[in-house]
Amino acid sequence: MKEIELTEILLTEIKIGNLELEKLNENNILTEIKSAFPDFQITKTVGQQDGPDFNLYQVIHYGQEIFFISMDSYDTTLVQDLWTNNKIIQDEYGITVGQKIESALEKRPNLKFHSDLHQNIYATEKNSKIEYRLTGNFKTLNDTTFFADDYSVERWQTEGMEIEYLIWRK
């Protein structure tokens, strides 16, 4: 197979490229991805976490991961999310991996921040399926407190951080 040069792929609230994310399930995912991205390779693996294992579909172009889709660990027929750290993908708001959070906030001023149990920092907007995982120098609340008990994060704590992943969650 001849390598083709990749052009930008758009991630929207409902699609990545021409792939309709809401329609995906365990029975059609391979066919649908192959139809939307015929020049890409798809690898199905088992993802592991603290909870139950889940099916994971990596979408690769000549050894470079473009994105991956994970299935729900409790209802394995349903898509849970899509993640990418590939700069070829831009979301419908004009945000890409590697952008500073300040630039993302200019495009999406209503982003709110939170953390998870593993101290990853996320930015998302109410009623949006697209969110961002951040990387960089996170500013703690004080000398002994990383973030609030409710995992909320203040905007000032994320200054200078970058978008590490674009994420679509069902």
Side-chain angles (χ1 to χ4, degrees), residues 112-131:
K112 302 290 183 222
F113 302 93
H114 67 278
S115 179
D116 63 14
L117 292 172
H118 303 287
Q119 300 180 347
N120 294 305
I121 309 300
Y122 297 91
T124 190
E125 194 171 301
K126 187 176 180 179
N127 299 321
S128 176
K129 293 180 186 244
I130 297 175
E131 72 176 5

Side-chain angles (χ1 to χ4, degrees), residues 105 108-113 153-159:
L105 283 164
R108 296 189 75 183
N110 296 321
L111 287 174
K112 302 290 183 222
F113 302 93
V153 171
E154 297 296 326
R155 183 179 288 209
W156 64 266
Q157 293 180 275
T158 66
E159 288 174 2

Side-chain angles (χ1 to χ4, degrees), residues 23 29 47 50 74 76-77 79 82 86 94 99 111 116 130 132:
K23 292 185 176 181
I29 192 166
D50 295 340
Y74 295 99
T76 58
T77 64
V79 168
L82 175 147
N86 195 305
Q99 250 182 321
L111 287 174
D116 63 14
I130 297 175
Y132 314 100

